[in-house]
Amino acid sequence: MQQEKPYSQACENNKPFILEKLTLIFHTPATILEVGTGTGQHAVHFAGHLPHLTWQPSDHPDNYQLCQPWLEDCRLGNILAPVALDVGEVDWPVPEIHGAFSANTAHIMAWEEVQAMFSGLGQRLPENGAFCLYGPFNYNGTYTSDSNRQFDQYLRARNARMGIRHIEDMEAMAGDNDLFLESDFEMPANNRLLVWRKR
């Protein structure tokens, strides 16, 4: 039943706006790895509206089955079974991929994990493959809004390894992994959708 599923209001709020951009980026048949699937609401929404994609959910080994109720309820044939993915591991248990997506992970992961995510995707994405990363980011060394400042303080109070990342640090780190920032879309609620492209 609906109330038994895990639920994220943020996913419900942002999914139509993210879908609008993903439709432009992932417009040909492809297998897309979602890093940090969480509740599964994004996976179901995107796979349902983009039937030409094969969607591969994944999440931390402690959390990867959280999405199962949503996946079982939707019964979409283009969503694969979720996999337990620790981005810090050398071997990722994922199929051959053509693109990747992740939402609201970079500020929750430790910086070393963000680096590991980009390293792993840099190794696995084909030439010209896209990685779409959604969330809040800082620019020119500062916050883009008071709400982001408060959110960052909240994150760091919970865990000092968390925090909103600086776009300049992200670009430098991505470059080390043969990825470059192709597009930077402004999104609602002081978020961005960053499109990283494999060289």
Side-chain angles (χ1 to χ4, degrees):
M1 296 176 60
Q2 180 75 26
Q3 62 264 31
E4 295 175 349
K5 298 180 196 173
Y7 184 82
S8 165
Q9 187 61 52
C11 282
E12 288 302 302
N13 294 346
N14 63 39
K15 68 185 185 182
F17 304 102
I18 298 176
L19 175 64
E20 180 184 328
K21 303 305 181 188
L22 296 189
T23 301
L24 302 175
I25 298 156
F26 298 136
H27 51 79
T28 58
T31 297
I32 307 300
L33 171 66
E34 181 178 12
V35 180
T37 296
T39 62
Q41 287 160 261
H42 278 157
V44 167
H45 188 71
F46 301 151
H49 284 84
L50 302 170
H52 59 282
L53 299 180
T54 298
W55 201 264
Q56 175 61 74
S58 76
D59 213 321
H60 189 274
D62 294 339
N63 204 43
Y64 79 103
Q65 291 183 315
L66 181 66
C67 64
Q68 203 66 53
W70 280 88
L71 270 53
E72 291 174 356
D73 191 54
C74 77
R75 302 180 185 275
L76 288 171
N78 61 327
I79 303 183
L80 303 177
V83 296
L85 175 60
D86 181 343
V87 293
E89 295 292 330
V90 174
D91 295 321
W92 287 13
V94 299
E96 180 181 359
I97 61 170
H98 310 101
F101 168 78
S102 193
N104 292 322
T105 53
H107 56 270
I108 293 174
M109 293 177 172
W111 179 243
E112 295 78 14
E113 293 173 314
V114 179
Q115 291 174 308
M117 175 170 63
F118 271 75
S119 175
L121 291 174
Q123 294 170 36
R124 288 167 177 82
L125 286 174
E127 182 180 350
N128 209 41
F131 169 36
C132 298
L133 179 63
Y134 174 88
F137 297 94
N138 291 333
Y139 292 76
N140 300 312
T142 191
Y143 303 100
T144 60
S145 67
D146 286 338
S147 62
N148 278 5
R149 182 192 305 275
Q150 294 167 10
F151 182 50
D152 186 59
Q153 292 170 347
Y154 163 77
L155 289 170
R156 294 179 187 279
R158 286 181 58 199
N159 187 326
R161 302 178 75 194
M162 294 182 183
I164 296 178
R165 308 304 174 189
H166 295 277
I167 191 68
E168 295 82 8
D169 295 337
M170 299 286 291
E171 287 194 86
M173 180 265 297
D176 291 337
N177 293 290
D178 295 324
L179 296 163
F180 69 94
L181 184 59
E182 179 183 75
S183 302
D184 181 350
F185 295 108
E186 184 176 358
M187 305 294 279
N190 302 306
N191 287 301
R192 317 291 297 192
L193 184 74
L194 308 178
V195 182
W196 307 94
R197 188 74 67 171
K198 177 71 177 289
R199 296 190 188 280

